[in-house]
């Protein structure tokens, strides 16, 4: 599940990999599966509390493309997992505003509907007990979260949800093409787990278009995509084992030594194939 600004689920590079709710009949105005949301065919708009998570802002569609843009289709880009099944959970309005209640509804929906991995490219400096509880009460999912873009050490100045001390949260810093820590990326040996590419990332945006963005928001879906590949290859994997693969499967890079718990940058192939210690 991409818990963000929604997804353009009609984008030609995404539409074949967007989740469809098997219990819902499109367009009949009925809550067929009884989950409290009418016509939630491709996900949930938690901000407006309805079944249309279409992205009018762009951020969530960009993240979704990094996770699972379709490959070998002659257009655009290729996601980390070309066969991803991406649920759209919209927690922001199209102006980029949200509140704690919308976030909680979004996490709870993803949990209720069986999301195995959630990608969370959002955050801020203030903790919220209800949001923390929503993540804590989602033990069947692993939640990938952005470290933040203000360049400071999260061990000294916390950022949330990255700093919630929960076993099912993995926080991601951003690196550039030289394997340097991005100038904007937050970090923290105790509270940030690994790095991933997050500078000048080309991906999908609404209207069938593409754009280049930078941020820990762009790094997080790289790790989310890797997590979905690992989970699909190992359907019974625990969150502990999945987290270990992501962290132990990194390439150790000098710029992340002492800046993340793993000291490394994501290596998808290694995470998929390594023997766990």
């Amino acid at each position: 599940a991409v818990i963000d600004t929604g997804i353009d689920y009609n984008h030609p590079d995404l539409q074949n990999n967007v989740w469809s709710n098997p219990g819902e009949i499109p367009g009949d105005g009925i809550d067929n599966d009884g989950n409290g949301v009418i016509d939630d065919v491709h996900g949930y708009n938690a901000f407006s509390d309805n079944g249309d998570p279409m992205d009018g802002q762009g951020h969530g569609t960009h993240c979704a493309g990094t996770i699972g843009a379709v490959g070998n289709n002659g257009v655009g880009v290729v996601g980390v997992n070309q066969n991803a099944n991406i649920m759209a959970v919209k927690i922001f309005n199209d102006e980029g505003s949200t509140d704690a209640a919308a976030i909680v509804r979004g996490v709870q929906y993803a949990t209720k509907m069986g999301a195995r991995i959630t990608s969370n490219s959002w955050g801020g400096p203030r903790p919220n007990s209800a949001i923390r509880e929503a993540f804590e009460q989602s033990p069947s999912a692993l939640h990938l979260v952005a470290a933040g873009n203000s360049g400071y050490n999260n061990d000294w100045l916390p950022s949330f949800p990255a700093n919630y001390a929960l076993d099912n949260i993995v926080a991601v810093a951003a690196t550039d093409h030289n394997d340097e820590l991005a100038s904007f990326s937050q970090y923290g040996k105790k509270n940030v787990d690994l790095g991933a590419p997050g500078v000048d990332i080309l991906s999908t945006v609404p209207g069938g278009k593409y754009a280049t963005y930078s941020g820990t928001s762009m790094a997080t879906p790289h790790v989310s995509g890797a997590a979905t590949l690992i989970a699909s290859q190992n359907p019974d994997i625990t969150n502990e084992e999945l987290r270990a693969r992501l962290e132990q499967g990194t390439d150790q890079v000098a710029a992340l030594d002492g800046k993340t718990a793993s000291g490394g940058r994501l290596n998808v192939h290694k995470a998929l194939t390594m023997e766990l210690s």
Side-chain angles (χ1 to χ4, degrees):
V2 176
I3 301 178
D4 208 291
T5 65
I7 295 175
D8 178 2
Y9 42 79
N10 295 319
H11 195 291
D13 232 354
L14 291 172
Q15 57 186 355
N16 289 338
N17 283 356
V18 172
W19 174 79
S20 291
N21 183 352
E24 203 68 26
I25 299 171
D28 68 353
I30 299 171
D31 178 15
N32 303 105
D33 61 359
N35 70 350
V37 188
I38 294 170
D39 287 339
D40 53 324
V41 178
H42 297 303
Y44 175 45
N45 184 333
F47 187 88
S48 298
D49 192 21
N50 64 48
D52 185 12
M54 176 58 75
D55 183 8
Q57 198 270 351
H59 190 269
T61 300
H62 197 277
C63 293
T66 297
I67 294 170
V70 176
N72 300 318
N73 62 350
V75 298
V77 296
V78 181
V80 177
N81 182 354
Q82 298 182 41
N83 297 306
N85 191 20
I86 307 170
M87 180 190 297
V89 179
K90 181 170 182 169
I91 59 169
F92 293 89
N93 64 16
D94 290 341
E95 288 69 51
S97 296
T98 190
D99 55 37
I103 294 170
V104 169
R105 287 193 297 268
V107 175
Q108 289 176 337
Y109 178 89
T111 303
K112 180 191 297 183
M113 301 308 291
R116 179 66 183 89
I117 307 295
T118 77
S119 192
N120 300 268
S121 290
W122 51 271
R126 289 181 292 181
N128 181 280
S129 59
I131 295 173
R132 185 189 189 281
E133 185 175 333
F135 280 117
E136 187 174 25
Q137 292 180 351
S138 181
S140 59
L142 188 69
H143 305 281
L144 287 304
V145 307
N149 297 329
S150 296
Y152 60 73
N153 187 337
N154 287 5
D155 295 349
W156 299 346
L157 187 64
S159 181
F160 302 94
N163 278 59
Y164 291 134
L166 298 173
D167 292 339
N168 62 346
I169 284 182
V170 174
V172 184
T175 57
D176 64 17
H177 67 285
N178 292 316
D179 269 342
E180 296 293 335
L181 183 70
S183 60
F184 55 77
S185 181
Q186 289 163 226
Y187 56 92
K189 187 173 182 179
K190 293 180 180 178
N191 289 288
V192 179
D193 297 285
L194 75 164
V199 178
D200 295 333
I201 304 301
L202 180 67
S203 188
T204 49
V205 292
K209 298 177 181 178
Y210 302 86
T212 299
Y213 293 174
S214 297
T216 55
S217 286
M218 286 61 253
T220 302
H222 279 95
V223 185
S224 302
T228 67
L229 282 173
I230 296 166
S232 64
Q233 181 177 279
N234 306 276
D236 297 325
I237 195 168
T238 66
N239 280 341
E240 182 182 15
E241 292 166 338
L242 182 49
R243 182 189 196 113
R245 281 194 173 275
L246 292 170
E247 294 189 17
Q248 294 179 28
T250 54
D251 287 340
Q252 298 297 292
V253 297
L256 296 176
D257 183 26
K259 297 292 181 72
T260 63
S262 67
R265 184 256 306 129
L266 176 71
N267 180 324
V268 181
H269 180 263
K270 190 174 174 183
L272 277 165
T273 58
M274 67 177 294
E275 292 290 330
L276 287 178
S277 61

